[in-house]
């Protein structure tokens, strides 16, 4: 069998790259996001407009209990016009906050759980053709509920009614592949956790691994 492609395969790794921008137009700035257009110089010299949304970034948590079940929450998402089953997740909205601390805060606020064991599960750009949002999804194990007396976060608006469900990881995989779970962080996290479980999660990066 030919291995002509093996050299190229070894180079399959995302790397930083930035093409020249000759102008930037900001169309709006909202509480979280902004809409901009960059005039970008293409390799052939043409200058073309590229529209995108700037975003502070996000974190999400695949929380697994001792029975191998994953924690999902249901939340209304207005742009999608759906109630989506998702991972506990949130914005990177505290300056210089370590991402694991950010994720632990979201797990506590959205689901009322804490975890003793953390690993980096997967890093992703949520939709790189239209936003610079990057997300880090953590694997959290050795989970336990936080006593009600210790919870001081008040859920409002879409977060006011978020049912929690624990389902077997393999069942979550099936639901993702059957088109029953659509949230991109949930799909990526569920599939990554299932793949990582093959070696008992031994190959995962530490929770404080740098983002490339």
């Amino acid at each position: 069998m030919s291995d002509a492609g093996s050299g190229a395969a070894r180079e399959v790794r995302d790397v930083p790259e930035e093409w020249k921008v000759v102008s930037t137009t900001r169309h709006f700035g909202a509480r979280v996001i902004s809409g901009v257009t960059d005039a970008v110089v293409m390799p052939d010299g043409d200058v073309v407009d590229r529209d995108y949304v700037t975003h502070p970034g996000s974190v999400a948590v695949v929380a697994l209990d001792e029975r191998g079940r994953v924690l999902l929450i249901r939340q209304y998402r207005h742009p999608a016009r759906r109630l989506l089953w998702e991972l506990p997740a949130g914005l990177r909205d505290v300056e210089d906050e370590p991402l694991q601390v950010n994720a632990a805060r979201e797990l506590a606020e959205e689901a009322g759980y804490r975890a003793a064991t953390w690993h980096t599960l997967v890093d992703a750009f949520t939709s790189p053709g239209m936003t610079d949002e990057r997300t880090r999804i953590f694997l959290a194990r050795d989970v336990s509920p936080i006593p009600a007396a210790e919870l001081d976060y008040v859920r409002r608006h879409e977060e006011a009614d978020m049912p929690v469900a624990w389902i077997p990881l393999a069942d979550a995989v099936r639901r993702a592949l059957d088109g029953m779970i659509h949230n991109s962080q949930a799909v990526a996290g569920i599939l990554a956790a299932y793949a990582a479980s093959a070696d008992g999660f031994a190959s995962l990066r530490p929770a404080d691994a740098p983002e490339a």
Side-chain angles (χ1 to χ4, degrees), residues 141-158:
R141 292 178 292 157
D142 300 317
V143 297
S144 60
I146 300 173
E150 296 181 24
L151 294 172
D152 59 2
Y153 180 74
V154 178
R155 298 176 188 164
R156 303 175 63 240
H157 304 143
E158 290 92 341

mmCIF file with all atom_site columns, all heavy atoms in Angstrom, residues 141-158:
data_model
loop_
_atom_site.group_PDB
_atom_site.id
_atom_site.type_symbol
_atom_site.label_atom_id
_atom_site.label_alt_id
_atom_site.label_comp_id
_atom_site.label_asym_id
_atom_site.label_entity_id
_atom_site.label_seq_id
_atom_site.pdbx_PDB_ins_code
_atom_site.Cartn_x
_atom_site.Cartn_y
_atom_site.Cartn_z
_atom_site.occupancy
_atom_site.B_iso_or_equiv
_atom_site.pdbx_formal_charge
_atom_site.auth_seq_id
_atom_site.auth_comp_id
_atom_site.auth_asym_id
_atom_site.auth_atom_id
_atom_site.pdbx_PDB_model_num
ATOM 1   N N   . ARG A 1 141 ? -15.153 15.006 36.253 1.00 0.00 ? 141 ARG A N   1
ATOM 2   C CA  . ARG A 1 141 ? -15.580 13.746 36.886 1.00 0.00 ? 141 ARG A CA  1
ATOM 3   C C   . ARG A 1 141 ? -15.520 13.880 38.404 1.00 0.00 ? 141 ARG A C   1
ATOM 4   O O   . ARG A 1 141 ? -15.098 14.898 38.921 1.00 0.00 ? 141 ARG A O   1
ATOM 5   C CB  . ARG A 1 141 ? -14.693 12.598 36.403 1.00 0.00 ? 141 ARG A CB  1
ATOM 6   C CG  . ARG A 1 141 ? -14.884 12.260 34.921 1.00 0.00 ? 141 ARG A CG  1
ATOM 7   C CD  . ARG A 1 141 ? -13.960 11.142 34.474 1.00 0.00 ? 141 ARG A CD  1
ATOM 8   N NE  . ARG A 1 141 ? -12.568 11.581 34.495 1.00 0.00 ? 141 ARG A NE  1
ATOM 9   C CZ  . ARG A 1 141 ? -11.531 10.758 34.597 1.00 0.00 ? 141 ARG A CZ  1
ATOM 10  N NH1 . ARG A 1 141 ? -11.705 9.465  34.723 1.00 0.00 ? 141 ARG A NH1 1
ATOM 11  N NH2 . ARG A 1 141 ? -10.305 11.255 34.594 1.00 0.00 ? 141 ARG A NH2 1
ATOM 12  N N   . ASP A 1 142 ? -15.939 12.818 39.072 1.00 0.00 ? 142 ASP A N   1
ATOM 13  C CA  . ASP A 1 142 ? -16.056 12.856 40.538 1.00 0.00 ? 142 ASP A CA  1
ATOM 14  C C   . ASP A 1 142 ? -16.947 14.027 40.930 1.00 0.00 ? 142 ASP A C   1
ATOM 15  O O   . ASP A 1 142 ? -16.567 14.902 41.723 1.00 0.00 ? 142 ASP A O   1
ATOM 16  C CB  . ASP A 1 142 ? -14.679 12.962 41.206 1.00 0.00 ? 142 ASP A CB  1
ATOM 17  C CG  . ASP A 1 142 ? -13.785 11.782 40.869 1.00 0.00 ? 142 ASP A CG  1
ATOM 18  O OD1 . ASP A 1 142 ? -14.290 10.640 40.878 1.00 0.00 ? 142 ASP A OD1 1
ATOM 19  O OD2 . ASP A 1 142 ? -12.603 12.003 40.573 1.00 0.00 ? 142 ASP A OD2 1
ATOM 20  N N   . VAL A 1 143 ? -18.142 14.041 40.357 1.00 0.00 ? 143 VAL A N   1
ATOM 21  C CA  . VAL A 1 143 ? -19.073 15.146 40.560 1.00 0.00 ? 143 VAL A CA  1
ATOM 22  C C   . VAL A 1 143 ? -19.955 14.904 41.784 1.00 0.00 ? 143 VAL A C   1
ATOM 23  O O   . VAL A 1 143 ? -20.222 13.768 42.171 1.00 0.00 ? 143 VAL A O   1
ATOM 24  C CB  . VAL A 1 143 ? -19.949 15.367 39.317 1.00 0.00 ? 143 VAL A CB  1
ATOM 25  C CG1 . VAL A 1 143 ? -19.102 15.772 38.122 1.00 0.00 ? 143 VAL A CG1 1
ATOM 26  C CG2 . VAL A 1 143 ? -20.770 14.135 38.995 1.00 0.00 ? 143 VAL A CG2 1
ATOM 27  N N   . SER A 1 144 ? -20.393 16.003 42.374 1.00 0.00 ? 144 SER A N   1
ATOM 28  C CA  . SER A 1 144 ? -21.291 15.938 43.516 1.00 0.00 ? 144 SER A CA  1
ATOM 29  C C   . SER A 1 144 ? -22.168 17.174 43.525 1.00 0.00 ? 144 SER A C   1
ATOM 30  O O   . SER A 1 144 ? -21.744 18.245 43.078 1.00 0.00 ? 144 SER A O   1
ATOM 31  C CB  . SER A 1 144 ? -20.505 15.829 44.829 1.00 0.00 ? 144 SER A CB  1
ATOM 32  O OG  . SER A 1 144 ? -19.653 16.957 44.994 1.00 0.00 ? 144 SER A OG  1
ATOM 33  N N   . PRO A 1 145 ? -23.398 17.050 44.033 1.00 0.00 ? 145 PRO A N   1
ATOM 34  C CA  . PRO A 1 145 ? -24.276 18.222 44.082 1.00 0.00 ? 145 PRO A CA  1
ATOM 35  C C   . PRO A 1 145 ? -23.787 19.222 45.121 1.00 0.00 ? 145 PRO A C   1
ATOM 36  O O   . PRO A 1 145 ? -23.234 18.854 46.158 1.00 0.00 ? 145 PRO A O   1
ATOM 37  C CB  . PRO A 1 145 ? -25.634 17.627 44.464 1.00 0.00 ? 145 PRO A CB  1
ATOM 38  C CG  . PRO A 1 145 ? -25.308 16.341 45.150 1.00 0.00 ? 145 PRO A CG  1
ATOM 39  C CD  . PRO A 1 145 ? -24.057 15.823 44.517 1.00 0.00 ? 145 PRO A CD  1
ATOM 40  N N   . ILE A 1 146 ? -23.995 20.493 44.836 1.00 0.00 ? 146 ILE A N   1
ATOM 41  C CA  . ILE A 1 146 ? -23.648 21.554 45.768 1.00 0.00 ? 146 ILE A CA  1
ATOM 42  C C   . ILE A 1 146 ? -24.845 21.797 46.677 1.00 0.00 ? 146 ILE A C   1
ATOM 43  O O   . ILE A 1 146 ? -25.971 21.962 46.195 1.00 0.00 ? 146 ILE A O   1
ATOM 44  C CB  . ILE A 1 146 ? -23.284 22.846 45.016 1.00 0.00 ? 146 ILE A CB  1
ATOM 45  C CG1 . ILE A 1 146 ? -22.086 22.599 44.095 1.00 0.00 ? 146 ILE A CG1 1
ATOM 46  C CG2 . ILE A 1 146 ? -22.992 23.980 45.991 1.00 0.00 ? 146 ILE A CG2 1
ATOM 47  C CD1 . ILE A 1 146 ? -21.755 23.779 43.195 1.00 0.00 ? 146 ILE A CD1 1
ATOM 48  N N   . PRO A 1 147 ? -24.653 21.790 48.007 1.00 0.00 ? 147 PRO A N   1
ATOM 49  C CA  . PRO A 1 147 ? -25.781 22.064 48.904 1.00 0.00 ? 147 PRO A CA  1
ATOM 50  C C   . PRO A 1 147 ? -26.463 23.380 48.558 1.00 0.00 ? 147 PRO A C   1
ATOM 51  O O   . PRO A 1 147 ? -25.804 24.367 48.200 1.00 0.00 ? 147 PRO A O   1
ATOM 52  C CB  . PRO A 1 147 ? -25.126 22.115 50.289 1.00 0.00 ? 147 PRO A CB  1
ATOM 53  C CG  . PRO A 1 147 ? -23.881 21.289 50.147 1.00 0.00 ? 147 PRO A CG  1
ATOM 54  C CD  . PRO A 1 147 ? -23.399 21.529 48.743 1.00 0.00 ? 147 PRO A CD  1
ATOM 55  N N   . ALA A 1 148 ? -27.789 23.389 48.665 1.00 0.00 ? 148 ALA A N   1
ATOM 56  C CA  . ALA A 1 148 ? -28.565 24.572 48.293 1.00 0.00 ? 148 ALA A CA  1
ATOM 57  C C   . ALA A 1 148 ? -28.107 25.812 49.040 1.00 0.00 ? 148 ALA A C   1
ATOM 58  O O   . ALA A 1 148 ? -28.121 26.928 48.497 1.00 0.00 ? 148 ALA A O   1
ATOM 59  C CB  . ALA A 1 148 ? -30.042 24.315 48.543 1.00 0.00 ? 148 ALA A CB  1
ATOM 60  N N   . ALA A 1 149 ? -27.680 25.638 50.288 1.00 0.00 ? 149 ALA A N   1
ATOM 61  C CA  . ALA A 1 149 ? -27.264 26.786 51.098 1.00 0.00 ? 149 ALA A CA  1
ATOM 62  C C   . ALA A 1 149 ? -26.015 27.459 50.532 1.00 0.00 ? 149 ALA A C   1
ATOM 63  O O   . ALA A 1 149 ? -25.741 28.632 50.844 1.00 0.00 ? 149 ALA A O   1
ATOM 64  C CB  . ALA A 1 149 ? -27.012 26.345 52.533 1.00 0.00 ? 149 ALA A CB  1
ATOM 65  N N   . GLU A 1 150 ? -25.245 26.737 49.716 1.00 0.00 ? 150 GLU A N   1
ATOM 66  C CA  . GLU A 1 150 ? -24.017 27.299 49.157 1.00 0.00 ? 150 GLU A CA  1
ATOM 67  C C   . GLU A 1 150 ? -24.240 27.958 47.800 1.00 0.00 ? 150 GLU A C   1
ATOM 68  O O   . GLU A 1 150 ? -23.333 28.595 47.265 1.00 0.00 ? 150 GLU A O   1
ATOM 69  C CB  . GLU A 1 150 ? -22.956 26.203 49.021 1.00 0.00 ? 150 GLU A CB  1
ATOM 70  C CG  . GLU A 1 150 ? -22.510 25.602 50.342 1.00 0.00 ? 150 GLU A CG  1
ATOM 71  C CD  . GLU A 1 150 ? -21.444 24.547 50.158 1.00 0.00 ? 150 GLU A CD  1
ATOM 72  O OE1 . GLU A 1 150 ? -20.738 24.593 49.113 1.00 0.00 ? 150 GLU A OE1 1
ATOM 73  O OE2 . GLU A 1 150 ? -21.317 23.664 51.025 1.00 0.00 ? 150 GLU A OE2 1
ATOM 74  N N   . LEU A 1 151 ? -25.412 27.792 47.240 1.00 0.00 ? 151 LEU A N   1
ATOM 75  C CA  . LEU A 1 151 ? -25.687 28.355 45.923 1.00 0.00 ? 151 LEU A CA  1
ATOM 76  C C   . LEU A 1 151 ? -26.258 29.758 46.079 1.00 0.00 ? 151 LEU A C   1
ATOM 77  O O   . LEU A 1 151 ? -27.288 29.953 46.712 1.00 0.00 ? 151 LEU A O   1
ATOM 78  C CB  . LEU A 1 151 ? -26.688 27.463 45.170 1.00 0.00 ? 151 LEU A CB  1
ATOM 79  C CG  . LEU A 1 151 ? -26.195 26.060 44.805 1.00 0.00 ? 151 LEU A CG  1
ATOM 80  C CD1 . LEU A 1 151 ? -27.341 25.229 44.243 1.00 0.00 ? 151 LEU A CD1 1
ATOM 81  C CD2 . LEU A 1 151 ? -25.053 26.128 43.795 1.00 0.00 ? 151 LEU A CD2 1
ATOM 82  N N   . ASP A 1 152 ? -25.593 30.730 45.486 1.00 0.00 ? 152 ASP A N   1
ATOM 83  C CA  . ASP A 1 152 ? -26.054 32.110 45.604 1.00 0.00 ? 152 ASP A CA  1
ATOM 84  C C   . ASP A 1 152 ? -26.313 32.756 44.255 1.00 0.00 ? 152 ASP A C   1
ATOM 85  O O   . ASP A 1 152 ? -26.464 33.976 44.146 1.00 0.00 ? 152 ASP A O   1
ATOM 86  C CB  . ASP A 1 152 ? -25.057 32.951 46.399 1.00 0.00 ? 152 ASP A CB  1
ATOM 87  C CG  . ASP A 1 152 ? -23.668 32.965 45.758 1.00 0.00 ? 152 ASP A CG  1
ATOM 88  O OD1 . ASP A 1 152 ? -23.496 32.356 44.682 1.00 0.00 ? 152 ASP A OD1 1
ATOM 89  O OD2 . ASP A 1 152 ? -22.760 33.588 46.331 1.00 0.00 ? 152 ASP A OD2 1
ATOM 90  N N   . TYR A 1 153 ? -26.365 31.942 43.192 1.00 0.00 ? 153 TYR A N   1
ATOM 91  C CA  . TYR A 1 153 ? -26.591 32.473 41.851 1.00 0.00 ? 153 TYR A CA  1
ATOM 92  C C   . TYR A 1 153 ? -28.082 32.435 41.543 1.00 0.00 ? 153 TYR A C   1
ATOM 93  O O   . TYR A 1 153 ? -28.740 31.400 41.716 1.00 0.00 ? 153 TYR A O   1
ATOM 94  C CB  . TYR A 1 153 ? -25.820 31.636 40.814 1.00 0.00 ? 153 TYR A CB  1
ATOM 95  C CG  . TYR A 1 153 ? -26.000 32.102 39.389 1.00 0.00 ? 153 TYR A CG  1
ATOM 96  C CD1 . TYR A 1 153 ? -25.383 33.264 38.932 1.00 0.00 ? 153 TYR A CD1 1
ATOM 97  C CD2 . TYR A 1 153 ? -26.780 31.380 38.488 1.00 0.00 ? 153 TYR A CD2 1
ATOM 98  C CE1 . TYR A 1 153 ? -25.529 33.693 37.630 1.00 0.00 ? 153 TYR A CE1 1
ATOM 99  C CE2 . TYR A 1 153 ? -26.934 31.802 37.176 1.00 0.00 ? 153 TYR A CE2 1
ATOM 100 C CZ  . TYR A 1 153 ? -26.307 32.954 36.755 1.00 0.00 ? 153 TYR A CZ  1
ATOM 101 O OH  . TYR A 1 153 ? -26.460 33.389 35.447 1.00 0.00 ? 153 TYR A OH  1
ATOM 102 N N   . VAL A 1 154 ? -28.628 33.556 41.082 1.00 0.00 ? 154 VAL A N   1
ATOM 103 C CA  . VAL A 1 154 ? -30.049 33.644 40.749 1.00 0.00 ? 154 VAL A CA  1
ATOM 104 C C   . VAL A 1 154 ? -30.211 33.493 39.235 1.00 0.00 ? 154 VAL A C   1
ATOM 105 O O   . VAL A 1 154 ? -29.690 34.309 38.458 1.00 0.00 ? 154 VAL A O   1
ATOM 106 C CB  . VAL A 1 154 ? -30.650 34.986 41.203 1.00 0.00 ? 154 VAL A CB  1
ATOM 107 C CG1 . VAL A 1 154 ? -32.120 35.074 40.804 1.00 0.00 ? 154 VAL A CG1 1
ATOM 108 C CG2 . VAL A 1 154 ? -30.488 35.150 42.713 1.00 0.00 ? 154 VAL A CG2 1
ATOM 109 N N   . ARG A 1 155 ? -30.909 32.465 38.817 1.00 0.00 ? 155 ARG A N   1
ATOM 110 C CA  . ARG A 1 155 ? -31.129 32.235 37.384 1.00 0.00 ? 155 ARG A CA  1
ATOM 111 C C   . ARG A 1 155 ? -32.291 33.100 36.903 1.00 0.00 ? 155 ARG A C   1
ATOM 112 O O   . ARG A 1 155 ? -33.336 33.143 37.527 1.00 0.00 ? 155 ARG A O   1
ATOM 113 C CB  . ARG A 1 155 ? -31.428 30.765 37.122 1.00 0.00 ? 155 ARG A CB  1
ATOM 114 C CG  . ARG A 1 155 ? -30.293 29.832 37.506 1.00 0.00 ? 155 ARG A CG  1
ATOM 115 C CD  . ARG A 1 155 ? -30.689 28.394 37.319 1.00 0.00 ? 155 ARG A CD  1
ATOM 116 N NE  . ARG A 1 155 ? -29.677 27.486 37.851 1.00 0.00 ? 155 ARG A NE  1
ATOM 117 C CZ  . ARG A 1 155 ? -29.901 26.203 38.085 1.00 0.00 ? 155 ARG A CZ  1
ATOM 118 N NH1 . ARG A 1 155 ? -31.098 25.686 37.854 1.00 0.00 ? 155 ARG A NH1 1
ATOM 119 N NH2 . ARG A 1 155 ? -28.941 25.435 38.562 1.00 0.00 ? 155 ARG A NH2 1
ATOM 120 N N   . ARG A 1 156 ? -32.074 33.742 35.756 1.00 0.00 ? 156 ARG A N   1
ATOM 121 C CA  . ARG A 1 156 ? -33.094 34.629 35.187 1.00 0.00 ? 156 ARG A CA  1
ATOM 122 C C   . ARG A 1 156 ? -33.249 34.368 33.699 1.00 0.00 ? 156 ARG A C   1
ATOM 123 O O   . ARG A 1 156 ? -32.406 33.754 33.071 1.00 0.00 ? 156 ARG A O   1
ATOM 124 C CB  . ARG A 1 156 ? -32.711 36.103 35.430 1.00 0.00 ? 156 ARG A CB  1
ATOM 125 C CG  . ARG A 1 156 ? -32.510 36.468 36.886 1.00 0.00 ? 156 ARG A CG  1
ATOM 126 C CD  . ARG A 1 156 ? -32.015 37.892 37.066 1.00 0.00 ? 156 ARG A CD  1
ATOM 127 N NE  . ARG A 1 156 ? -32.974 38.878 36.587 1.00 0.00 ? 156 ARG A NE  1
ATOM 128 C CZ  . ARG A 1 156 ? -32.710 39.775 35.612 1.00 0.00 ? 156 ARG A CZ  1
ATOM 129 N NH1 . ARG A 1 156 ? -31.511 39.785 35.041 1.00 0.00 ? 156 ARG A NH1 1
ATOM 130 N NH2 . ARG A 1 156 ? -33.625 40.643 35.239 1.00 0.00 ? 156 ARG A NH2 1
ATOM 131 N N   . HIS A 1 157 ? -34.355 34.845 33.150 1.00 0.00 ? 157 HIS A N   1
ATOM 132 C CA  . HIS A 1 157 ? -34.631 34.805 31.726 1.00 0.00 ? 157 HIS A CA  1
ATOM 133 C C   . HIS A 1 157 ? -34.572 33.359 31.204 1.00 0.00 ? 157 HIS A C   1
ATOM 134 O O   . HIS A 1 157 ? -35.243 32.484 31.738 1.00 0.00 ? 157 HIS A O   1
ATOM 135 C CB  . HIS A 1 157 ? -33.670 35.733 30.974 1.00 0.00 ? 157 HIS A CB  1
ATOM 136 C CG  . HIS A 1 157 ? -33.734 37.145 31.485 1.00 0.00 ? 157 HIS A CG  1
ATOM 137 N ND1 . HIS A 1 157 ? -32.645 37.964 31.586 1.00 0.00 ? 157 HIS A ND1 1
ATOM 138 C CD2 . HIS A 1 157 ? -34.779 37.878 31.976 1.00 0.00 ? 157 HIS A CD2 1
ATOM 139 C CE1 . HIS A 1 157 ? -32.999 39.143 32.074 1.00 0.00 ? 157 HIS A CE1 1
ATOM 140 N NE2 . HIS A 1 157 ? -34.292 39.119 32.328 1.00 0.00 ? 157 HIS A NE2 1
ATOM 141 N N   . GLU A 1 158 ? -33.755 33.094 30.181 1.00 0.00 ? 158 GLU A N   1
ATOM 142 C CA  . GLU A 1 158 ? -33.698 31.729 29.623 1.00 0.00 ? 158 GLU A CA  1
ATOM 143 C C   . GLU A 1 158 ? -33.218 30.703 30.629 1.00 0.00 ? 158 GLU A C   1
ATOM 144 O O   . GLU A 1 158 ? -33.503 29.507 30.497 1.00 0.00 ? 158 GLU A O   1
ATOM 145 C CB  . GLU A 1 158 ? -32.776 31.677 28.391 1.00 0.00 ? 158 GLU A CB  1
ATOM 146 C CG  . GLU A 1 158 ? -33.303 32.385 27.160 1.00 0.00 ? 158 GLU A CG  1
ATOM 147 C CD  . GLU A 1 158 ? -32.833 33.825 27.078 1.00 0.00 ? 158 GLU A CD  1
ATOM 148 O OE1 . GLU A 1 158 ? -32.410 34.377 28.119 1.00 0.00 ? 158 GLU A OE1 1
ATOM 149 O OE2 . GLU A 1 158 ? -32.878 34.383 25.979 1.00 0.00 ? 158 GLU A OE2 1
#
